[in-house]
Amino acid sequence: MPRTPSTKMLAARRLLRSPRITGALSWSRWSSDAAKATTESSALSENAEKRQQLLNELSEPLEQKGRPAIDPKETSVMLFPGQGTQYVGMAKDLLRFPGARRIFELANEVLKYDLLKICLEGPREKLNRTEHAQLAVMVSSLAALEQLREERPKAIETCVAAAGFSLGEITALVYADALPFDKALRLVQVRATAMQAACDQAAGAMAMTIYGPDTNLGEACARAQQWCLEKGVESPYCGIANYMYPHCKVVAGNVEALEFLEQNAKALKIRRMKRLAVSGAFHTPLMQSAVEPFTKALKTVRLQDPVIRVYSNVDGKPYRHAKHILTQLPKQIVRPVKWEQTLHEMYERKQGVDFPRTFECGPGKGLVQVLEKVNAKAAQSSFNVIA
């Protein structure tokens, strides 16, 4: 006998499947104000026109004629963190916002377990498991948007671009209305499970690596990989997984390879290495087995063109349309995250043009700290909305 959906699930489905409103960012489709948003179509239409003007003027800020220019300082950019930022107790301070609580309720309903409890109580070992950490970070980041919406609604209305680090890219696509929230939860669940399975097949690790101008990091990784091969490690890998900022990269690969780098850091002219709180070598070929199940799951989702620019980790460029997401997003699992390149692309502008306000939404403050090292001027107008 087929299971009868609960009243809460039916309500969630109505909320999640509400019609796409041109110009309305995705939070209006699943937040506590979704119903209100659908009754304010004229206001949303006005916001859509304003946002398009903002987008146009962001691309050509000094050449606008025939209409009043919009001050770039009045626009905003959203950044979303990735796995590794999770911590026990995350999202606790967001629960005072009804919309944030509602997001976790919907997530629990879709996932069939209490994600919020894992966020709040752990234990740490359970939260750090890939299948829980990725969902915890994404949902907490979207919940942080509810705080921003309550406290600074203009930041939502004038947002022209978004980017997310690794997993955070999926959060950005949800925010930009390219990916429905409930489908994103399922997609991240598949992604996380497949990546954890890849982790279980080959023990991998990642480490933030600081080095100097006289360091050949590529050669160091090659030596580590060769050492593993000589020690009998099957199909070893060691390489750059994340481009962070000048003289800082995240190196990933087999655990033995990172141990080699750590033990020979002085000889290799590596100044410092710090392991990340992840369970595998993400964004490397060691994750290849996760690509097929993720791609298969992604093909079942009805993607839409983002309503704002969303930048791809693979090449640091904005997604052009929904089909581009379908082909590009799976590559991210095994390709390095080009975050430094993404920030250069996002904040490039002509001399004398002001920067937008930047909001990092989610656990930690790492992305704003990286922005300070890549573009100090842009970082002067950055803010954290911490989950």
Side-chain angles (χ1 to χ4, degrees):
M1 183 177 179
R3 181 185 174 191
T4 303
S6 67
T7 302
K8 185 185 290 185
M9 176 58 85
L10 290 173
R13 288 175 181 171
R14 286 193 295 271
L15 199 57
L16 293 166
R17 296 174 182 174
S18 57
R20 180 180 173 92
I21 305 168
T22 304
L25 292 182
S26 63
W27 63 263
S28 70
R29 300 170 63 203
W30 38 259
S31 78
S32 58
D33 276 2
K36 180 180 178 182
T38 60
T39 63
E40 296 178 350
S41 57
S42 60
L44 288 168
S45 178
E46 182 180 344
N47 284 342
E49 293 175 5
K50 185 176 181 181
R51 185 176 297 111
Q52 188 57 51
Q53 184 179 349
L54 292 172
L55 286 168
N56 293 340
E57 295 188 2
L58 187 66
S59 61
E60 296 181 303
L62 294 182
E63 300 177 3
Q64 296 299 313
K65 298 179 181 179
R67 64 184 179 192
I70 294 177
D71 189 344
K73 295 195 300 293
E74 297 303 315
T75 67
S76 63
V77 168
M78 301 294 166
L79 302 180
F80 299 101
Q83 184 177 351
T85 58
Q86 70 278 356
Y87 62 94
V88 175
M90 62 193 293
K92 179 181 178 181
D93 292 338
L94 297 174
L95 298 181
R96 67 185 188 274
F97 300 99
R101 294 197 302 271
R102 180 64 174 148
I103 288 169
F104 272 102
E105 289 173 3
L106 294 178
N108 291 350
E109 191 73 22
V110 172
L111 298 173
K112 305 303 180 188
Y113 68 86
D114 195 338
L115 179 66
L116 179 59
K117 184 177 181 180
I118 296 176
C119 290
L120 296 176
E121 303 177 10
R124 184 176 64 181
E125 294 75 17
K126 186 174 185 179
L127 178 60
N128 283 349
R129 289 281 296 181
T130 299
E131 62 263 37
H132 295 131
Q134 292 193 10
L135 287 160
V137 172
M138 184 184 81
V139 177
S140 295
S141 298
L142 293 171
L145 282 171
E146 288 297 316
Q147 177 178 345
L148 183 62
R149 182 178 62 82
E150 291 281 349
E151 297 178 347
R152 304 183 71 163
K154 191 175 180 181
I156 300 286
E157 296 167 5
T158 61
C159 182
V160 294
F165 191 96
S166 186
L167 160 79
E169 186 172 321
I170 297 179
T171 313
L173 289 169
V174 174
Y175 174 69
D177 209 15
L179 186 60
F181 177 57
D182 56 340
K183 301 298 183 183
L185 288 170
R186 294 295 190 193
L187 188 62
V188 171
Q189 204 168 30
V190 170
R191 181 183 190 266
T193 301
M195 290 175 72
Q196 185 62 56
C199 294
D200 295 339
Q201 290 174 16
M206 305 179 75
M208 187 79 76
T209 305
I210 307 294
Y211 60 96
D214 59 340
T215 307
N216 189 329
L217 193 58
E219 181 181 334
C221 290
R223 287 180 60 181
Q225 186 169 317
Q226 181 61 34
W227 183 85
C228 288
L229 197 61
E230 293 171 357
K231 292 297 179 180
V233 178
E234 187 177 350
S235 303
Y237 180 82
C238 184
I240 296 171
N242 307 153
Y243 292 82
M244 303 303 294
Y245 53 86
H247 304 305
C248 179
K249 307 286 187 288
V250 171
V251 172
N254 296 83
V255 170
E256 296 90 344
L258 265 69
E259 289 174 347
F260 174 87
L261 294 177
E262 291 165 344
Q263 293 165 6
N264 296 277
K266 187 174 182 179
L268 296 170
K269 298 182 179 180
I270 294 173
R271 295 181 179 179
R272 185 161 62 93
M273 294 184 70
K274 181 182 179 182
R275 293 286 185 101
L276 303 186
V278 295
S279 55
F282 304 146
H283 305 289
T284 73
L286 296 181
M287 293 290 108
Q288 185 61 48
S289 64
V291 174
E292 184 179 352
F294 178 78
T295 302
K296 184 178 179 181
L298 185 62
K299 287 179 178 179
T300 67
V301 179
R302 185 177 178 182
L303 299 169
Q304 302 198 70
D305 296 344
V307 298
I308 57 172
R309 290 194 187 106
V310 175
Y311 290 77
S312 168
N313 287 177
V314 173
D315 58 10
K317 304 290 185 181
Y319 282 109
R320 297 188 299 273
H321 41 63
K323 288 184 179 179
H324 190 202
I325 297 170
L326 185 62
T327 58
Q328 189 88 323
L329 191 57
K331 298 176 185 176
Q332 189 226 59
I333 293 175
V334 292
R335 299 272 189 92
V337 174
K338 295 189 174 180
W339 191 251
E340 182 179 352
Q341 296 89 327
T342 297
L343 294 180
H344 284 305
E345 183 78 16
M346 288 182 77
Y347 293 99
E348 183 181 8
R349 59 205 56 238
K350 297 179 181 179
Q351 188 174 0
V353 177
D354 290 316
F355 290 95
R357 296 164 299 159
T358 297
F359 296 90
E360 179 181 357
C361 298
K365 300 180 179 180
L367 299 184
V368 164
Q369 292 171 354
V370 171
L371 180 59
E372 290 171 353
K373 298 180 183 300
V374 175
N375 192 322
K377 287 187 177 180
Q380 289 176 359
S381 56
S382 62
F383 308 87
N384 288 99
V385 186
I386 299 177

